[in-house]
Amino acid sequence: LILSMLAEASAKDISQAVNPETFEENKKVAQQGGNVAKVARKELEARTGKKVVTALNAKTALQLKKNDDANTK
């Protein structure tokens, strides 16, 4: 979710800076915004040694954490 928000915010800022007029220009801006998030994800993964994106969704992850917390008490 955070990476999606970063991509959207980046695309908005790039769009405001370059003022695209055509669909193709807007498409390029959207791709550039997505690339910002991609670079951030890869950098984070390189620094932590862990994957950021998994098949695990937020609801399942929270339930697993809750179960782990209950088991450690």
Side-chain angles (χ1 to χ4, degrees), residues 24-43:
E24 287 302 318
E25 289 172 348
N26 277 289
K27 183 176 170 182
K28 186 175 180 180
V29 166
Q31 289 170 336
Q32 290 171 345
N35 192 54
V36 170
K38 177 183 175 183
V39 169
R41 177 184 61 84
K42 289 185 177 277
E43 181 69 18

Side-chain angles (χ1 to χ4, degrees), residues 5-64:
M5 292 172 60
L6 176 60
E8 290 176 13
S10 299
K12 179 184 72 79
D13 289 348
I14 294 167
S15 180
Q16 289 174 341
V18 300
N19 296 316
E21 295 181 8
T22 66
F23 176 79
E24 287 302 318
E25 289 172 348
N26 277 289
K27 183 176 170 182
K28 186 175 180 180
V29 166
Q31 289 170 336
Q32 290 171 345
N35 192 54
V36 170
K38 177 183 175 183
V39 169
R41 177 184 61 84
K42 289 185 177 277
E43 181 69 18
L44 180 58
E45 289 176 344
R47 289 180 186 239
T48 63
K50 296 188 295 185
K51 290 285 185 188
V52 173
V53 178
T54 68
L56 190 65
N57 68 30
K59 183 177 180 180
T60 305
L62 290 173
Q63 185 62 44
L64 288 173

